[in-house]
Amino acid sequence: MSKVNTSGKQIRWVNCVFLLGTLLLALTVVPAFIWMKGLDWFQVGLFLGLFICTGLSITLGYHRLFSHRAFQASWPVRFLTLVFGAGAFENSAYSWAADHRRHHKHVDHDEDPYDATKGLFHSHIGWILFKTQDDTPLDIVKDLQKDKLVMWQHNHYLAISIFAGFLLPAILGGIWNGWEGAIGGFLVGGLARVVSVQHFTFFINSLCHYIGQQPYSTKCTARDSAIMALFTFGEGYHNFHHTFQHDYRNGLKPWQFDPTKWTIWMLSKVGMAKSLRRVPQERILLAEITEQHRLLAEKISLKSAKLSEPIQTRLQAAQARLQEAFSQWEKMEAEYGKALEKKLAASREKLAELRWAKLAFQKAIQDWRESYRLALDYFATQSTAA
């Protein structure tokens, strides 16, 4: 791939021509075709069908399956996500996973390929158009080299992507309505759909680090956004994902929109996915409470927000008990896991200890929440009095 220096950056000419060219055609030729020939239900269905297939192949396949190993899948699932994932024209799963693992390893630092601190343009598309660092070393995805399907897709990526991305919708359109249908299938189900899927995927790297809340951690810029989840197949709950990256879920709460999670769960019910990785609820609760405690401590540190000594003492004691209870639960969980692996007779005893530790942790959470509510009520009273 030829590149030249421009203001200290190297232009990735192939990427620029493809990404900017398809965007320009999608904004000009596609509307012109629809204006002249109209848009029938088949073209709409083709667009939506391939949008879902390619979009889910990125979030379910490239992201949660291959990059994070959040679950295991049968060969048909792996094959289909690799074929339709290629149809999104976002590189092979092998290379995509390498960049993504590097992102998690160095998030918000120079080594992060799509570092959000370098600006919205850079994290959205600039990092693809311009080379600003060395290519990601592929030893970060050595495990994927053992997957024959992954390596097959990597070695034949261009042919697979052209077929799944452009030829397939054109063929289906041609079967439906001859040459006119083939052109419509290529433009609507191919070109417009590729551009849409790409930029919705890019939103995960860009807007999901700018829009929303940080309920689990403020260690990086990733945020949870219900709005972004609607555009990214559930990937909008990005703060949770960066805090617990190996969990197969992004939208943790039952009401949170995460069709990727739902699809993985349904695949597990029909025997096509297994070993779904979940972070224990105790760790998630501790992360949420720790963040709430940090925010409260920030408020207390302000000169205008003084907490009464009895409430502050109680809150600090509750936080200490919570940490101690969690440490005990974590220890019991590890001991029970070892006993279970070795099939020791003592595993029943360890299970009883683990249950006791879990109850103690739940009691500590309740005590902390009561102390937290007292602190919030105190601040509310002080504000009213003022």
Side-chain angles (χ1 to χ4, degrees), residues 67-102:
S67 295
H68 292 293
R69 297 300 201 181
F71 67 102
Q72 296 177 19
S74 60
W75 75 264
V77 174
R78 287 167 29 240
F79 175 76
L80 289 173
T81 55
L82 288 168
V83 170
F84 284 105
F89 284 90
E90 295 183 21
N91 219 330
S92 69
Y94 185 62
S95 298
W96 197 101
D99 284 331
H100 192 71
R101 290 182 186 180
R102 186 179 186 181

Side-chain angles (χ1 to χ4, degrees), residues 30-252:
V30 173
F33 173 83
I34 294 174
W35 182 74
M36 290 186 294
K37 299 296 183 179
L39 186 67
D40 62 31
W41 68 266
F42 181 83
Q43 292 169 346
V44 174
L46 189 62
F47 176 91
L48 293 176
L50 289 175
F51 179 86
I52 292 171
C53 287
T54 52
L56 272 179
S57 291
I58 296 297
T59 60
L60 183 151
Y62 276 37
H63 188 207
R64 303 191 199 185
L65 175 60
F66 298 118
S67 295
H68 292 293
R69 297 300 201 181
F71 67 102
Q72 296 177 19
S74 60
W75 75 264
V77 174
R78 287 167 29 240
F79 175 76
L80 289 173
T81 55
L82 288 168
V83 170
F84 284 105
F89 284 90
E90 295 183 21
N91 219 330
S92 69
Y94 185 62
S95 298
W96 197 101
D99 284 331
H100 192 71
R101 290 182 186 180
R102 186 179 186 181
H103 164 64
H104 274 270
K105 185 177 181 180
H106 303 287
V107 62
D108 294 340
H109 291 82
D110 285 341
E111 288 296 308
D112 179 357
Y114 24 97
D115 179 3
T117 65
K118 294 178 181 177
L120 192 62
F121 175 79
H122 172 81
S123 59
H124 186 77
I125 197 173
W127 72 279
I128 305 173
L129 302 180
F130 303 99
K131 180 183 172 79
T132 58
Q133 59 184 225
D134 293 336
D135 293 333
T136 300
L138 294 178
D139 58 0
I140 200 171
V141 284
K142 279 185 177 179
D143 56 304
L144 295 181
Q145 294 175 3
K146 301 175 184 178
D147 191 319
K148 293 181 179 179
L149 281 175
V150 170
M151 299 314 297
W152 164 78
Q153 190 234 33
H154 180 68
N155 293 327
H156 304 282
Y157 167 71
L158 184 59
I160 299 169
S161 60
I162 292 173
F163 169 77
F166 293 131
L167 291 182
L168 180 61
I171 291 170
L172 293 175
I175 294 173
W176 169 252
N177 193 26
W179 281 108
E180 186 175 307
I183 295 172
F186 172 80
L187 291 175
V188 178
L191 187 65
R193 187 265 317 157
V194 164
V195 172
S196 299
V197 170
Q198 285 182 340
H199 285 278
F200 285 172
T201 302
F202 299 163
F203 282 159
I204 303 169
N205 303 332
S206 58
L207 290 180
C208 287
H209 285 259
Y210 283 85
I211 298 174
Q213 308 299 317
Q214 295 179 295
Y216 302 100
S217 175
T218 53
K219 293 181 179 178
C220 72
T221 56
R223 296 174 178 273
D224 277 5
S225 170
I227 294 175
M228 294 312 304
L230 297 175
F231 295 98
T232 58
F233 291 93
E235 303 281 82
Y237 299 106
H238 211 50
N239 188 251
F240 176 84
H241 173 63
H242 266 271
T243 308
F244 306 107
Q245 62 176 289
H246 298 297
D247 198 307
Y248 87 96
R249 306 162 297 178
N250 273 18
L252 176 68

